[in-house]
Amino acid sequence: MPMPAIKKIERANLILGVAITCGAGLLWGAAGMLAAGVGAALGCLNFWSIARLAGRAVARVQTGATGGQAAMLGVGLALKMAALFVLVWAAVRVGHLAVLPFSLGLSVFVISIFLTSLSAPTGAAEEAPEAR
């Protein structure tokens, strides 16, 4: 994924995270607002770390990295996912955050990717004028 697209998704993450947090505050009060805010922050952090680790992996492969070097970045992604699982468990079980608003906040990066992909130009749209 090109860097401008990643920046666009990161910006959409932040905007949508604020919107979901405010909406959760209106629907569920302060507890829902806190849960959605924590979820949105975790979702934004998750996307940021995925983009950085995957970007490093691609850059290393393009520069001729060995299989072991590329595999280490794969291990980094697996460790990031394990940390995410622990943080989600801690937020819900230990922090007693409301599950639904937390889940909505956490899914902010998935929604952002979907929404930004709707506005992205497609290859077919760019080729159509040449075919005429």
Side-chain angles (χ1 to χ4, degrees):
M1 188 177 298
M3 239 3 193
I6 290 174
K7 294 293 183 192
K8 193 175 184 182
I9 293 169
E10 287 176 346
R11 191 173 332 116
N13 281 343
L14 294 174
I15 293 167
L16 195 56
V18 169
I20 287 177
T21 301
C22 292
L26 292 173
L27 288 173
W28 293 289
M33 188 175 206
L34 175 65
V38 170
L42 195 54
C44 290
L45 181 63
N46 185 42
F47 180 79
W48 178 84
S49 62
I50 288 171
R52 297 308 172 274
L53 287 170
R56 270 193 208 160
V58 168
R60 285 212 180 152
V61 168
Q62 288 176 338
T63 59
T66 65
Q69 291 171 327
M72 287 306 295
L73 288 167
V75 169
L77 284 168
L79 291 173
K80 180 220 56 85
M81 185 59 72
L84 177 67
F85 290 158
V86 169
L87 290 172
V88 167
W89 176 84
V92 174
R93 298 293 278 177
V94 177
H96 302 291
L97 295 178
V99 175
L100 185 57
F102 177 78
S103 299
L104 286 173
L106 186 62
S107 64
V108 73
F109 77 99
V110 176
I111 299 167
S112 295
I113 292 170
F114 174 72
L115 291 177
T116 55
S117 71
L118 291 177
S119 65
T122 62
E126 294 171 1
E127 294 174 14
E130 295 174 8
R132 292 182 202 177

